[in-house]
Amino acid sequence: FNLDIAMVITGQWPCYVDTARDHGVRLMVATLVPISLLFVVLLAYWFMTLWKSMIARLPERELKRFRNGAANICLSIGLLLLFLVYPSVSKLVFQTFVCSELENGETYLRVDPQISCDSEDYRRMRIFAFVMMILFPLLVPVVFAVPLFWYRRTLRALPPHRGHLPWAAMRPHMRGMAFLFSMYLPEFYMFEVFELWRKLLQ
């Protein structure tokens, strides 16, 4: 599944019809909106734990259990969001570096011919795309791989499953990333990460 946030935001409103074709606008929307949503999730976690500790005044044991539960929910939302936007964001980022040359020697962005690759605006866009390339196409698979590798022994010990997970045998922190391995046999728990890299190299 591929969630193209830039298309959803810029393609649904009449006043954004022209900007929907502007690669620079789509690139900024596609990258900055997920980052903003992740900050919102972090703020929600901070607010909920603050409210429970200072206003609700939960006992320490219940507060710790609440924090763990809230962390699991926020982790699930964050990982799922990154998983959904990863293909479309990566595609937009890499399209920024593909230019075509005309017979007169001028170059333009292949995905958006109205943008000259010799312009100062394009140079700034390329710097922004380079930063986003590190954050999304390169870093997101690592974000998925690290917790999977951390819980590798538990994942390999799970009974064979394909979509029917033994939730009781899983640690609470693992349930938030179950969508990454639930469709594969336990020994192939890292397959989804390799699939992301494969799609990236196509």
Side-chain angles (χ1 to χ4, degrees), residues 119-173:
S119 65
E120 189 63 31
D121 289 340
Y122 172 72
R123 293 187 182 93
R124 287 194 292 267
M125 184 194 307
R126 188 170 58 184
I127 294 173
F128 179 80
F130 181 79
V131 176
M132 292 300 111
M133 181 180 67
I134 296 175
L135 293 180
F136 281 95
L138 301 181
L139 189 59
V140 167
V142 176
V143 171
F144 292 150
V146 168
L148 289 174
F149 182 78
W150 183 266
Y151 292 113
R152 64 190 182 280
R153 292 187 178 87
T154 305
L155 291 172
R156 288 172 177 170
L158 292 175
H161 61 269
R162 283 189 178 178
H164 302 285
L165 288 174
W167 296 101
M170 295 171 57
R171 297 182 182 181
H173 292 298

Coordinates of all heavy atoms in Angstrom, one line a residue, residues 119-173:
S119 N 18.9 26.5 -12.3 CA 18.4 27.6 -11.6 C 18.8 27.5 -10.1 O 19.1 26.4 -9.6 CB 16.9 27.7 -11.6 OG 16.3 26.6 -11.0
E120 N 18.8 28.6 -9.4 CA 19.1 28.7 -8.0 C 18.1 28.0 -7.2 O 18.4 27.3 -6.2 CB 19.3 30.1 -7.5 CG 19.8 30.3 -6.1 CD 21.3 29.7 -6.0 OE1 22.0 29.8 -7.0 OE2 21.6 29.2 -4.9
D121 N 16.8 28.1 -7.6 CA 15.7 27.4 -6.9 C 15.9 25.9 -6.9 O 15.7 25.2 -5.9 CB 14.4 27.7 -7.5 CG 14.0 29.2 -7.3 OD1 14.5 29.8 -6.3 OD2 13.1 29.7 -8.0
Y122 N 16.4 25.4 -8.1 CA 16.6 23.9 -8.1 C 17.7 23.5 -7.2 O 17.7 22.4 -6.6 CB 16.9 23.5 -9.6 CG 17.3 22.0 -9.7 CD1 16.4 21.0 -9.5 CD2 18.6 21.7 -9.9 CE1 16.8 19.7 -9.5 CE2 19.0 20.4 -9.9 CZ 18.1 19.4 -9.8 OH 18.5 18.1 -9.8
R123 N 18.8 24.3 -7.2 CA 19.9 24.0 -6.3 C 19.5 23.9 -4.8 O 19.9 23.0 -4.1 CB 21.0 25.0 -6.4 CG 21.7 25.0 -7.8 CD 22.9 25.9 -7.9 NE 23.5 25.9 -9.2 CZ 23.2 26.8 -10.1 NH1 22.4 27.8 -9.9 NH2 23.8 26.7 -11.3
R124 N 18.6 24.8 -4.4 CA 18.1 24.7 -3.1 C 17.2 23.5 -2.9 O 17.2 22.8 -1.8 CB 17.3 26.0 -2.7 CG 18.2 27.2 -2.5 CD 17.4 28.3 -1.9 NE 16.4 28.9 -2.8 CZ 16.6 29.9 -3.6 NH1 17.7 30.5 -3.6 NH2 15.6 30.3 -4.4
M125 N 16.4 23.2 -3.9 CA 15.5 22.0 -3.8 C 16.4 20.7 -3.8 O 16.0 19.8 -3.0 CB 14.6 22.0 -5.1 CG 13.6 20.8 -5.1 SD 12.9 20.5 -6.7 CE 12.3 22.2 -7.1
R126 N 17.5 20.7 -4.5 CA 18.3 19.5 -4.4 C 19.0 19.3 -3.1 O 19.1 18.2 -2.6 CB 19.4 19.6 -5.5 CG 20.2 18.4 -5.7 CD 21.1 18.5 -7.0 NE 22.0 19.7 -6.9 CZ 22.8 20.1 -7.8 NH1 22.8 19.4 -9.0 NH2 23.6 21.1 -7.7
I127 N 19.4 20.4 -2.4 CA 19.9 20.3 -1.1 C 18.9 19.7 -0.1 O 19.1 18.9 0.7 CB 20.4 21.7 -0.6 CG1 21.6 22.1 -1.4 CG2 20.8 21.6 0.9 CD1 22.1 23.5 -1.1
F128 N 17.6 20.3 -0.2 CA 16.5 19.8 0.6 C 16.3 18.3 0.3 O 16.1 17.5 1.3 CB 15.3 20.6 0.3 CG 14.1 20.2 1.1 CD1 13.9 20.6 2.4 CD2 13.1 19.4 0.5 CE1 12.8 20.2 3.1 CE2 12.0 19.0 1.2 CZ 11.8 19.4 2.5
A129 N 16.3 17.9 -0.9 CA 16.0 16.5 -1.3 C 17.1 15.6 -0.8 O 16.8 14.5 -0.4 CB 15.9 16.4 -2.8
F130 N 18.4 16.1 -0.7 CA 19.5 15.3 -0.2 C 19.3 15.0 1.3 O 19.5 13.9 1.7 CB 20.8 16.0 -0.5 CG 22.0 15.3 0.0 CD1 22.5 14.2 -0.7 CD2 22.6 15.6 1.2 CE1 23.6 13.5 -0.3 CE2 23.7 14.9 1.7 CZ 24.2 13.8 0.9
V131 N 18.8 16.0 2.0 CA 18.6 15.8 3.4 C 17.4 14.8 3.6 O 17.5 13.9 4.5 CB 18.3 17.2 4.1 CG1 17.9 16.9 5.6 CG2 19.5 18.1 4.0
M132 N 16.4 15.0 2.8 CA 15.2 14.1 2.9 C 15.6 12.7 2.5 O 15.0 11.7 2.9 CB 14.1 14.6 2.1 CG 13.5 15.9 2.6 SD 12.8 15.7 4.3 CE 13.9 16.7 5.2
M133 N 16.6 12.5 1.6 CA 17.0 11.2 1.1 C 17.6 10.5 2.3 O 17.5 9.2 2.4 CB 18.0 11.4 0.0 CG 18.5 10.0 -0.6 SD 19.7 10.2 -1.9 CE 21.1 11.0 -1.1
I134 N 18.4 11.2 3.1 CA 19.0 10.5 4.3 C 17.9 10.1 5.3 O 17.9 9.1 5.9 CB 20.0 11.5 4.9 CG1 21.1 11.8 4.0 CG2 20.5 10.9 6.3 CD1 22.1 12.8 4.5
L135 N 16.9 11.0 5.5 CA 15.9 10.8 6.5 C 14.9 9.7 6.1 O 14.5 8.9 6.9 CB 15.1 12.1 6.8 CG 15.9 13.2 7.5 CD1 15.0 14.4 7.7 CD2 16.4 12.7 8.8
F136 N 14.5 9.7 4.8 CA 13.4 8.7 4.4 C 14.0 7.5 3.7 O 13.9 6.4 4.3 CB 12.4 9.5 3.5 CG 11.4 10.3 4.3 CD1 11.6 11.6 4.6 CD2 10.3 9.7 4.9 CE1 10.7 12.4 5.3 CE2 9.4 10.4 5.7 CZ 9.6 11.8 5.8
P137 N 14.4 7.5 2.5 CA 14.9 6.3 1.8 C 15.9 5.5 2.5 O 15.9 4.3 2.5 CB 15.4 6.8 0.4 CG 14.7 8.1 0.2 CD 14.6 8.7 1.6
L138 N 16.9 6.2 3.2 CA 18.0 5.5 3.8 C 17.7 5.2 5.3 O 18.0 4.1 5.8 CB 19.2 6.3 3.7 CG 19.7 6.7 2.3 CD1 21.0 7.5 2.3 CD2 19.9 5.4 1.5
L139 N 17.1 6.1 6.0 CA 17.0 5.9 7.5 C 15.7 5.1 7.9 O 15.8 4.4 8.9 CB 17.0 7.3 8.2 CG 17.1 7.3 9.7 CD1 18.3 6.6 10.1 CD2 17.0 8.7 10.2
V140 N 14.6 5.3 7.2 CA 13.4 4.6 7.6 C 13.6 3.1 7.6 O 13.2 2.4 8.6 CB 12.3 5.0 6.6 CG1 11.1 4.0 6.8 CG2 11.8 6.4 6.9
P141 N 14.2 2.4 6.6 CA 14.4 0.9 6.7 C 15.2 0.6 8.0 O 15.0 -0.5 8.6 CB 15.1 0.6 5.4 CG 14.7 1.6 4.5 CD 14.6 2.9 5.3
V142 N 16.2 1.4 8.3 CA 17.0 1.2 9.5 C 16.1 1.3 10.8 O 16.3 0.5 11.7 CB 18.2 2.2 9.6 CG1 19.0 2.0 10.9 CG2 19.1 2.0 8.4
V143 N 15.2 2.2 10.8 CA 14.3 2.4 11.9 C 13.4 1.1 12.1 O 13.1 0.7 13.2 CB 13.4 3.6 11.7 CG1 12.3 3.7 12.7 CG2 14.2 4.9 11.8
F144 N 13.1 0.5 11.0 CA 12.3 -0.7 11.1 C 13.2 -1.9 11.4 O 12.8 -2.8 12.2 CB 11.6 -1.0 9.7 CG 10.6 -0.1 9.3 CD1 10.3 0.2 8.0 CD2 9.8 0.6 10.3 CE1 9.3 1.1 7.6 CE2 8.8 1.4 9.9 CZ 8.6 1.7 8.6
A145 N 14.4 -1.9 10.9 CA 15.3 -3.1 11.1 C 15.8 -3.2 12.6 O 15.9 -4.3 13.1 CB 16.5 -3.0 10.2
V146 N 16.0 -2.0 13.2 CA 16.6 -2.1 14.6 C 15.7 -2.8 15.6 O 16.2 -3.7 16.3 CB 17.0 -0.6 15.0 CG1 17.3 -0.6 16.5 CG2 18.1 -0.1 14.2
P147 N 14.4 -2.4 15.7 CA 13.6 -3.2 16.7 C 13.4 -4.6 16.3 O 13.3 -5.5 17.2 CB 12.3 -2.4 16.7 CG 12.3 -1.6 15.5 CD 13.7 -1.3 15.1
L148 N 13.3 -4.9 15.0 CA 13.1 -6.3 14.6 C 14.4 -7.1 15.0 O 14.2 -8.2 15.4 CB 12.9 -6.4 13.1 CG 11.6 -5.9 12.6 CD1 11.5 -5.8 11.1 CD2 10.4 -6.7 13.1
F149 N 15.5 -6.5 14.8 CA 16.8 -7.2 15.1 C 16.9 -7.4 16.7 O 17.4 -8.4 17.2 CB 18.0 -6.5 14.6 CG 19.3 -7.2 14.9 CD1 19.7 -8.2 14.1 CD2 20.1 -6.7 15.9 CE1 20.9 -8.9 14.4 CE2 21.3 -7.3 16.1 CZ 21.7 -8.4 15.4
W150 N 16.4 -6.4 17.4 CA 16.5 -6.4 18.8 C 15.7 -7.5 19.4 O 16.1 -8.2 20.4 CB 16.0 -5.1 19.4 CG 16.1 -4.9 20.9 CD1 15.1 -5.2 21.8 CD2 17.2 -4.6 21.7 NE1 15.5 -5.0 23.1 CE2 16.9 -4.6 23.0 CE3 18.5 -4.2 21.3 CZ2 17.7 -4.3 24.0 CZ3 19.4 -3.8 22.3 CH2 19.0 -3.9 23.7
Y151 N 14.5 -7.8 18.8 CA 13.6 -8.9 19.3 C 13.7 -10.1 18.4 O 12.8 -10.9 18.4 CB 12.2 -8.4 19.3 CG 11.9 -7.3 20.3 CD1 11.5 -6.0 19.9 CD2 11.9 -7.6 21.7 CE1 11.3 -5.0 20.8 CE2 11.6 -6.6 22.6 CZ 11.3 -5.3 22.2 OH 11.1 -4.3 23.1
R152 N 14.8 -10.3 17.8 CA 15.0 -11.4 16.8 C 14.8 -12.8 17.4 O 14.2 -13.7 16.8 CB 16.3 -11.3 16.1 CG 17.5 -11.5 17.0 CD 18.8 -11.2 16.3 NE 20.0 -11.4 17.1 CZ 20.4 -10.5 18.0 NH1 19.7 -9.4 18.3 NH2 21.5 -10.8 18.7
R153 N 15.3 -12.9 18.7 CA 15.2 -14.3 19.3 C 13.7 -14.6 19.6 O 13.2 -15.7 19.4 CB 16.0 -14.3 20.6 CG 17.5 -14.2 20.3 CD 18.3 -14.5 21.6 NE 19.7 -14.5 21.4 CZ 20.5 -13.4 21.4 NH1 19.9 -12.2 21.7 NH2 21.8 -13.4 21.2
T154 N 13.0 -13.6 20.1 CA 11.6 -13.8 20.4 C 10.8 -14.0 19.1 O 9.9 -14.9 19.1 CB 11.0 -12.5 21.1 OG1 11.8 -12.3 22.3 CG2 9.5 -12.8 21.5
L155 N 11.1 -13.3 18.0 CA 10.4 -13.5 16.8 C 10.7 -14.9 16.2 O 9.7 -15.5 15.7 CB 10.8 -12.4 15.8 CG 10.4 -11.0 16.1 CD1 11.0 -10.0 15.2 CD2 8.9 -10.9 16.0
R156 N 11.9 -15.3 16.3 CA 12.2 -16.6 15.7 C 11.6 -17.8 16.5 O 11.3 -18.9 16.0 CB 13.7 -16.8 15.7 CG 14.5 -16.0 14.6 CD 16.0 -16.1 14.8 NE 16.7 -15.4 13.7 CZ 18.0 -15.1 13.7 NH1 18.7 -15.5 14.8 NH2 18.5 -14.5 12.7
A157 N 11.3 -17.5 17.8 CA 10.7 -18.5 18.7 C 9.2 -18.6 18.5 O 8.6 -19.5 19.1 CB 11.1 -18.2 20.1
L158 N 8.6 -17.6 17.8 CA 7.1 -17.7 17.6 C 6.8 -18.9 16.8 O 7.5 -19.3 15.9 CB 6.7 -16.4 16.9 CG 6.8 -15.1 17.7 CD1 6.3 -13.9 16.8 CD2 5.9 -15.1 19.0
P159 N 5.6 -19.5 17.1 CA 5.1 -20.6 16.3 C 4.8 -20.1 14.9 O 4.6 -19.0 14.6 CB 3.9 -21.1 17.0 CG 3.4 -19.9 17.8 CD 4.7 -19.2 18.2
P160 N 4.9 -21.0 13.9 CA 4.6 -20.6 12.5 C 3.3 -19.9 12.4 O 2.3 -20.3 12.9 CB 4.6 -21.9 11.7 CG 5.5 -22.8 12.6 CD 5.2 -22.4 14.0
H161 N 3.2 -18.8 11.6 CA 2.0 -18.0 11.5 C 2.1 -17.3 10.2 O 3.1 -17.0 9.6 CB 1.9 -17.0 12.6 CG 3.0 -16.0 12.7 ND1 4.2 -16.3 13.4 CD2 3.3 -14.9 12.0 CE1 5.0 -15.3 13.2 NE2 4.5 -14.4 12.4
R162 N 0.9 -17.0 9.7 CA 0.8 -16.1 8.5 C -0.5 -15.3 8.7 O -1.6 -15.7 8.2 CB 0.8 -16.9 7.2 CG 2.1 -17.4 6.8 CD 2.1 -18.0 5.4 NE 3.5 -18.4 5.0 CZ 3.7 -19.0 3.9 NH1 2.8 -19.3 3.0 NH2 5.0 -19.4 3.6
G163 N -0.4 -14.2 9.3 CA -1.5 -13.3 9.6 C -2.3 -13.6 10.9 O -3.1 -12.9 11.3
H164 N -2.0 -14.8 11.5 CA -2.6 -15.1 12.8 C -1.5 -15.2 13.9 O -1.0 -16.3 14.2 CB -3.3 -16.5 12.7 CG -4.4 -16.5 11.6 ND1 -5.6 -15.9 11.7 CD2 -4.3 -17.0 10.3 CE1 -6.3 -16.0 10.6 NE2 -5.6 -16.7 9.7
L165 N -1.3 -14.1 14.5 CA -0.2 -14.0 15.4 C -0.6 -14.5 16.8 O -1.7 -14.2 17.3 CB 0.3 -12.5 15.6 CG 1.0 -12.0 14.4 CD1 1.3 -10.5 14.6 CD2 2.4 -12.7 14.2
P166 N 0.3 -15.2 17.5 CA 0.1 -15.6 18.9 C 0.4 -14.4 19.8 O 1.5 -14.3 20.4 CB 1.1 -16.7 19.1 CG 2.2 -16.4 18.2 CD 1.6 -15.7 17.0
W167 N -0.6 -13.5 20.0 CA -0.4 -12.3 20.7 C 0.1 -12.5 22.1 O 0.9 -11.7 22.7 CB -1.7 -11.5 20.8 CG -2.1 -11.0 19.4 CD1 -3.1 -11.6 18.6 CD2 -1.6 -9.9 18.6 NE1 -3.2 -10.9 17.4 CE2 -2.3 -9.9 17.4 CE3 -0.5 -9.0 18.9 CZ2 -2.0 -8.9 16.4 CZ3 -0.3 -8.0 17.9 CH2 -1.0 -8.0 16.7
A168 N -0.4 -13.6 22.7 CA 0.0 -13.9 24.1 C 1.5 -14.1 24.3 O 2.1 -13.9 25.3 CB -0.8 -15.0 24.7
A169 N 2.1 -14.6 23.2 CA 3.5 -15.0 23.2 C 4.4 -13.8 22.9 O 5.7 -13.9 23.0 CB 3.9 -16.1 22.3
M170 N 3.8 -12.7 22.6 CA 4.6 -11.5 22.2 C 4.7 -10.5 23.3 O 3.8 -10.3 24.1 CB 3.9 -10.8 20.9 CG 3.9 -11.7 19.7 SD 2.9 -10.9 18.4 CE 3.7 -9.4 18.2
R171 N 5.8 -9.8 23.3 CA 6.0 -8.7 24.3 C 5.1 -7.5 23.8 O 4.9 -7.3 22.6 CB 7.5 -8.3 24.4 CG 8.4 -9.4 24.9 CD 9.8 -8.9 25.0 NE 10.7 -10.0 25.4 CZ 12.0 -9.8 25.6 NH1 12.5 -8.7 25.4 NH2 12.7 -10.9 26.1
P172 N 4.7 -6.7 24.8 CA 3.8 -5.6 24.4 C 4.5 -4.6 23.4 O 3.8 -4.1 22.5 CB 3.6 -4.8 25.7 CG 3.7 -5.9 26.7 CD 4.8 -6.8 26.2
H173 N 5.8 -4.4 23.5 CA 6.5 -3.5 22.6 C 6.5 -4.0 21.1 O 6.6 -3.3 20.2 CB 7.9 -3.2 23.0 CG 7.9 -2.4 24.3 ND1 7.4 -1.1 24.4 CD2 8.4 -2.7 25.5 CE1 7.6 -0.6 25.6 NE2 8.2 -1.6 26.3

